Amino acid sequence: MDRMQFDAKALQSRLTGRRIGCRLHYEETVDSTNRIALELARVGAPEGTVVLADRQTAGRGRMQRSWQSPPGCNLYLSIILRPTIPQQEASQITLMTGLAAAEAVSEACPEGRVGIKWPNDIMVKGEKLAGILTESSCDRERILYVILGIGVNVNFPRELMPESIRGIATSLLILGGKAVDRSAFVLQLIQNLERCYGELEEGGFSFLAERWAGFFRLKGKRVRVQMLEQAILGKAMGIDIDGALILEDERGFVQRIIAGEVIPMES
Ligand code: BTN
């Protein structure tokens, strides 16, 4: 654990003038940075507002799961975006965030081969290092705001992990054997996000697809894709230029999956 608190003033001064990070709300303890960011977005907080906390008491994960958020070691942040892309392309924001996080993790963790488990779990050596929860609000025509909630296990020691995630979660500390500076990491992550978001706006997901595919480790592997009520078994083929997962199902038909959870059936 680094136990060092974030220096919110120093972080804000490094972020001033940037599109993402133009406003930083730092709190030592919150229930969920996503909940706070949603509240701020609802009352008009500008794009680029970042909510950062040292600890969450009710960190939210995907699929109604919780996210382990002990103090003094990890990153819990939520970012408000107000994208102008069409509603049906909103999932590309999630994929873009996964790419920005994977690039930041690769820089901080040269000893591990970083992968993105579609749509956006950041994995190293088969264990999860970071997760992303996007929550959004739309009206009939457009996206009003998107909250990017990012949790990264930075200096999470294995002995502090509850039994439920031991063996399926990892951290930069576990991988590299030494503590990583959380403030430097969050600045790098925000910088990557700003760059990837700009690229997405400029050229659409096709601008990012090749780099994203470089982190796809399931090509040719058997997977189960869990969607709301339905699951499909098949072979993962890759991602399409719009970010959809391409799967060859058991009858040999190619399917495009827009949303779901991928469970690898082999290592
Ligand atoms: C997942 O299930 O993989 C997504 C986890 C997302 C966790 C982050 S931590 C910061 C932000 N606030 C939350 O309550 N959740 C997200």
Side-chain angles (χ1 to χ4, degrees):
M1 295 231 265
D2 58 20
R3 278 284 165 216
M4 255 180 56
Q5 290 300 313
F6 288 106
D7 179 343
K9 266 205 186 128
L11 276 177
Q12 181 66 87
S13 74
R14 298 284 303 275
L15 292 169
T16 301
R18 301 208 72 113
R19 181 173 182 196
I20 298 189
C22 54
R23 290 205 194 157
L24 175 70
H25 289 255
Y26 173 73
E27 306 243 8
E28 216 168 284
T29 301
V30 297
D31 52 355
S32 155
T33 55
N34 260 38
R35 192 202 54 77
I36 293 178
L38 279 163
E39 210 175 276
L40 290 170
R42 246 178 248 130
V43 296
E47 170 160 275
T49 300
V50 173
V51 181
L52 175 72
D54 181 56
R55 166 177 181 245
Q56 296 184 117
T57 54
R60 304 177 187 168
R62 292 179 73 222
M63 319 263 172
Q64 322 296 329
R65 296 186 191 119
S66 59
W67 185 256
Q68 291 299 322
S69 312
C73 56
N74 294 329
L75 266 194
Y76 318 112
L77 78 154
S78 300
I79 297 160
I80 300 174
L81 295 185
R82 296 186 180 276
T84 51
I85 59 170
Q87 239 188 78
Q88 57 276 19
E89 288 171 19
S91 61
Q92 297 178 3
I93 303 262
T94 303
L95 296 166
M96 173 283 287
T97 309
L99 175 63
E103 290 181 341
V105 168
S106 292
E107 286 154 38
C109 174
E111 43 290 288
R113 192 163 174 256
V114 180
I116 311 177
K117 184 163 77 67
W118 187 91
N120 56 11
D121 286 346
I122 308 300
M123 312 289 294
V124 183
K125 299 181 181 161
E127 293 175 326
K128 184 157 161 173
L129 182 92
I132 295 160
L133 174 68
T134 34
E135 300 186 86
S136 55
S137 171
C138 305
D139 68 12
R140 242 183 280 154
E141 292 112 47
R142 57 194 187 105
I143 304 170
L144 299 174
Y145 51 83
V146 176
I147 308 299
L148 304 178
I150 310 172
V152 186
N153 295 334
V154 180
N155 296 320
F156 205 167
R158 187 129 13 226
E159 30 330 330
L160 261 200
M161 290 182 179
E163 207 53 55
S164 57
I165 64 166
R166 252 187 235 177
I168 56 170
T170 191
S171 69
L172 291 174
L173 170 74
I174 295 170
L175 291 163
K178 56 179 190 310
V180 168
D181 178 345
R182 284 188 294 169
S183 298
F185 186 83
V186 76
L187 287 170
Q188 186 63 56
L189 177 60
I190 288 175
Q191 191 178 313
N192 288 4
L193 263 169
E194 188 167 308
R195 174 176 41 81
C196 290
Y197 185 41
E199 288 170 327
L200 182 71
E201 281 182 324
E202 200 186 320
F205 189 72
S206 59
F207 249 48
L208 306 176
E210 203 178 310
R211 266 171 29 235
W212 199 102
F215 288 104
F216 188 70
R217 308 274 177 244
L218 290 175
K219 196 176 167 89
K221 300 252 163 83
R222 269 178 55 75
V223 296
R224 197 176 100 219
V225 183
Q226 187 68 49
M227 290 163 294
L228 286 174
E229 295 291 297
Q230 196 201 355
I232 308 185
L233 283 171
K235 196 160 55 162
M237 309 300 289
I239 58 157
D240 224 337
I241 49 157
D242 63 354
L245 176 71
I246 305 171
L247 186 83
E248 185 186 297
D249 72 16
E250 293 197 303
R251 296 168 304 158
F253 292 119
V254 174
Q255 308 250 10
R256 276 170 40 87
I257 316 278
I258 308 294
E261 181 171 28
V262 176
I263 300 130
M265 307 296 279
E266 55 184 300
S267 51

